[in-house]
Amino acid sequence: DSHQSVPAAAKIATREKIRSRFHGSNDLIHRLFVCISGVADQLQTNYASDLRSILKTLFEVMATKPETEDKEKQKKVNQGLRNAALEDCALCQESISSSELAAKARDGDFEDPPDWVPDEVCSFCTACKAPFTVIRRKHHCRSCGKIFCSRCSSHSAPLPRYGQMKPVRVCTHCYMFHVTPFYSDKAGI
């Protein structure tokens, strides 16, 4: 059972690190409001279920005190993360932590970028399912390789794990869950 103590300590340390970013409940609520407003403005659409899942997970992490923690509370946090993850997203399923990824990138140990989904096999946006037309063109997310319309891939971010230091096009899911600093620690929660 001793082999579980290191991951447990790492999880507690990660939670403490996240908690330390906020000065208190009012700061958390204010930052969440600013974050949600920014996302809503950028997307000009309603990703209500994703946002609910993110908020639920954040509040559970912030409200959980390490000394009163039990397995039931940990299950709830894990469930919140599973709800936020996509079953068909390889990045959501990976077990490597963001700190390990950062260390590899610093060492120049880059991964190969994902294979792009071929244009001819995709006629609908992966996210919103809108059909592609002469006007609604196909765009590949550089983080996951899937095909999206411009509205569902309107973000840019550097991808250091692939050696890409300048911002490149990424889909909304990857932007929210895999390439922004705030969510990059979620694998360690």
Side-chain angles (χ1 to χ4, degrees):
D1 205 38
S2 61
H3 63 85
Q4 288 184 339
S5 61
V6 173
K11 286 179 182 180
I12 289 170
T14 300
R15 272 197 296 277
E16 288 299 319
K17 181 178 155 197
I18 291 171
R19 259 193 219 99
S20 71
R21 297 178 188 172
F22 303 96
H23 301 299
S25 299
N26 286 344
D27 183 38
L28 170 64
I29 290 165
H30 174 71
R31 287 215 227 167
L32 286 173
F33 175 77
V34 171
C35 176
I36 291 166
S37 300
V39 169
D41 288 348
Q42 284 189 343
L43 298 179
Q44 296 179 343
T45 185
N46 184 8
Y47 279 73
S49 62
D50 275 353
L51 287 173
R52 270 198 301 274
S53 186
I54 292 166
L55 291 176
K56 183 177 173 208
T57 301
L58 282 175
F59 276 117
E60 287 187 30
V61 168
M62 293 304 293
T64 303
K65 296 278 186 278
E67 61 273 14
T68 61
E69 194 172 75
D70 57 32
K71 286 184 180 175
E72 209 49 49
K73 285 182 182 172
Q74 186 58 46
K75 268 190 207 167
K76 282 185 185 176
V77 173
N78 289 342
Q79 185 60 46
L81 289 174
R82 275 198 294 279
N83 290 344
L86 293 183
E87 286 181 19
D88 66 342
C89 175
L91 294 171
C92 280
Q93 313 311 320
E94 72 183 6
S95 56
I96 187 167
S97 73
S98 60
S99 54
E100 288 174 291
L101 280 171
K104 287 173 74 171
R106 274 196 308 273
D107 296 342
D109 183 12
F110 305 126
E111 295 179 25
D112 290 332
D115 292 334
W116 281 16
V117 172
D119 280 359
E120 60 273 12
V121 303
C122 186
S123 53
F124 298 90
C125 173
T126 303
C128 71
K129 308 303 179 197
F132 292 116
T133 64
V134 175
I135 297 165
R136 186 182 295 113
R137 300 185 53 223
K138 299 176 181 181
H139 299 277
H140 283 88
C141 169
R142 273 56 171 180
S143 174
C144 68
K146 294 178 183 172
I147 298 177
F148 300 88
C149 67
S150 60
R151 195 164 168 174
C152 293
S153 60
S154 60
H155 303 283
S156 293
L159 302 174
R161 69 186 294 172
Y162 304 132
Q164 182 63 57
M165 302 311 171
K166 290 183 180 173
V168 290
R169 181 185 293 270
V170 294
C171 69
T172 298
H173 171 78
C174 284
Y175 184 79
M176 289 176 73
F177 291 96
H178 301 303
V179 300
T180 56
F182 191 85
Y183 298 115
S184 66
D185 284 330
K186 81 176 182 66
I189 291 175

